Amino acid sequence: MRIPITAYSSTYDQTDSSPLTTASGTRVRDGVVAANFLPIGTKVKIPLVFGDKTFVVEDRMNSRYWHRLDVWMPSRAQAMQFGVRTLEIEVLN
């Protein structure tokens, strides 16, 4: 499926009051994505940008972003550089 994909980092203005903890209770890290339309634990790939890398849905987004994927990045600059892209994702489970 093709969906809008954005990126976020662990800053208070992009998250809630615990920016290093995901909605599932894990710590943010490379490979974590946020999505409201997929269950926590769902594995996805974004082949055009990240090749064969597998991501896991461990976080949620603001409820107004129902059908979007948000990739965690280590810095705000990296998240801003990623921007908003509409890309194909593969849902693995």
Side-chain angles (χ1 to χ4, degrees):
M1 75 179 72
R2 288 181 61 81
I3 60 167
I5 300 175
T6 54
Y8 72 107
S9 61
S10 297
T11 59
Y12 288 105
D13 62 323
Q14 295 182 68
T15 63
D16 62 13
S17 62
S18 55
L20 298 176
T21 304
T22 67
S24 66
T26 63
R27 189 164 175 88
V28 290
R29 65 191 180 288
D30 185 38
V32 166
V33 293
N36 296 341
F37 70 101
L38 294 169
I40 296 287
T42 302
K43 294 180 181 178
V44 298
K45 289 185 180 182
I46 311 166
L48 188 61
V49 176
F50 297 102
D52 207 33
K53 181 176 182 173
T54 300
F55 294 87
V56 180
V57 176
E58 294 185 25
D59 213 353
R60 295 294 187 209
M61 302 174 72
N62 185 295
S63 61
R64 71 179 177 254
Y65 301 118
W66 177 251
H67 203 257
R68 182 182 287 195
L69 194 74
D70 210 11
V71 179
W72 182 83
M73 302 266 176
S75 74
R76 182 184 188 96
Q78 288 171 301
M80 298 284 289
Q81 183 178 19
F82 186 87
V84 179
R85 307 175 190 195
T86 299
L87 299 167
E88 187 79 25
I89 66 165
E90 296 174 18
V91 178
L92 304 177
N93 60 337

